[in-house]
Amino acid sequence: MFEQLTERLESVFKKITGRGLLNENDVKEALKEIRVAFLEADVNYKVAKDLIANIQERAIGQEVTQSIRPGQQVVKIVNDELAKLLGAENAPLSESAQPPTIVMLTGLHGGGKTTLSGKLAKLYKARGKHPLLVAADVYRPAAKKQLEILARSIDMPFYTSDSEAVGICLEAAKFAREKLYDLVILDTAGRLHIDDDLMAELIDIKAKVKPSEILFVADAMTGQEAVNVAAAFNEKIGLTGVALTKLDGDARGGAALSIKAVLDVPIKFVGVGEKL
């Protein structure tokens, strides 16, 4: 996903690290190229602008001019600022003081919510948790069956019922308490686009089930559209984090670099590949 951007940045870095001293114009010229590289990689315009401003502030200061190897110092600053942009610290899953911890996965159709449900269940089972997978998509034909087959393939407990979505989530939480499952993963419905019915249902689930985490599952391949959709979800239901899927794809990677800055919520997971 980041190959193209990496190549562009490397060619800029090669020019500046090959020189001895760097003057202000050299740095500005390099930053201009870096900015173009970010925009071509589909990084959000405002995010790219702020990022370059932060890099420039540090790169034109004493940090670089008084450095023994100024070119390397600029490379380090770019690296630091990119790390900050993506979230410099790991943000773990928020766990409920009173089990079970309920994680609600949201997003549009095809983003990878169901596959991610299985991956999360597997990950947390390996960490000593007792997850329960819950199919709460009552609209898409065979959505429940899909999660059931997936759950069986990884030997994971599964819950659904004939109730409407909110009912399924409430029943699943009660079932989890009775059976001592300490992590409930709600695979909610997606749509092909944002609509009022979908949002109303998610708001209802949030109000009644009170999940510890509401994660937006963003398909990193959809670029800026993923960022725009996530922003709409965040505005309506309030997200606690993002899970970026399909990071092994060959898209331009800009959504991955923009999403945390735009939403101001951490990227909690990244998904690679269809296999669990």
Side-chain angles (χ1 to χ4, degrees), residues 33-257:
E33 286 186 51
I34 291 171
R35 183 170 170 269
V36 171
F38 285 142
L39 292 174
E40 283 180 355
D42 203 23
V43 174
N44 175 283
Y45 173 75
K46 188 184 180 305
V47 171
K49 187 167 164 259
D50 292 348
L51 180 64
I52 293 298
N54 293 345
I55 295 169
Q56 182 164 320
E57 195 179 320
R58 289 179 60 189
I60 289 174
Q62 294 184 341
E63 206 174 323
V64 168
T65 52
Q66 295 182 6
S67 166
I68 297 166
R69 300 172 72 189
Q72 291 291 353
Q73 198 60 28
V74 173
V75 175
K76 182 185 181 300
I77 290 167
V78 174
N79 185 65
D80 290 350
E81 291 298 326
L82 275 171
K84 208 187 288 178
L85 182 72
L86 281 161
E89 290 169 7
N90 178 33
L93 208 62
S94 298
E95 293 190 25
S96 169
Q98 198 71 43
T101 293
I102 299 173
V103 178
M104 177 176 161
L105 300 183
T106 67
L108 297 185
H109 265 333
K113 285 193 299 300
T114 303
T115 303
L116 185 78
S117 302
K119 290 183 178 188
L120 287 181
K122 238 185 128 178
L123 175 70
Y124 279 91
K125 187 178 183 180
R127 292 180 179 178
K129 293 282 181 196
H130 300 92
L132 175 68
L133 285 169
V134 180
D137 181 350
V138 297
Y139 307 102
R140 187 165 58 90
K144 292 178 182 178
K145 198 73 192 155
Q146 185 191 353
L147 188 63
E148 186 181 357
I149 291 166
L150 184 145
R152 207 177 296 144
S153 75
I154 52 173
D155 194 25
M156 210 60 71
F158 164 83
Y159 185 90
T160 195
S161 77
D162 293 329
S163 303
E164 70 337 328
V166 182
I168 292 172
C169 297
L170 284 168
E171 291 161 20
K174 182 170 180 280
F175 179 77
R177 279 190 286 272
E178 287 167 1
K179 302 289 181 188
L180 304 182
Y181 295 118
D182 51 11
L183 177 65
V184 176
I185 299 167
L186 306 176
D187 184 17
T188 67
R191 299 279 198 285
L192 292 170
H193 55 85
I194 300 163
D195 66 42
D196 293 340
D197 292 344
L198 170 66
M199 288 304 179
E201 181 176 279
L202 295 174
I203 289 165
D204 207 13
I205 293 172
K206 179 186 177 180
K208 290 175 180 164
V209 184
K210 297 182 172 50
S212 304
E213 291 273 9
I214 302 173
L215 301 181
F216 180 81
V217 182
D219 177 347
M221 305 268 284
T222 58
Q224 283 312 301
E225 190 49 34
V227 181
N228 298 336
V229 172
F233 271 74
N234 195 28
E235 194 184 311
K236 297 278 187 194
I237 56 173
L239 302 170
T240 60
V242 173
L244 277 170
T245 60
K246 310 180 192 179
L247 216 68
D248 53 331
D250 58 0
R252 292 176 293 173
L257 287 174

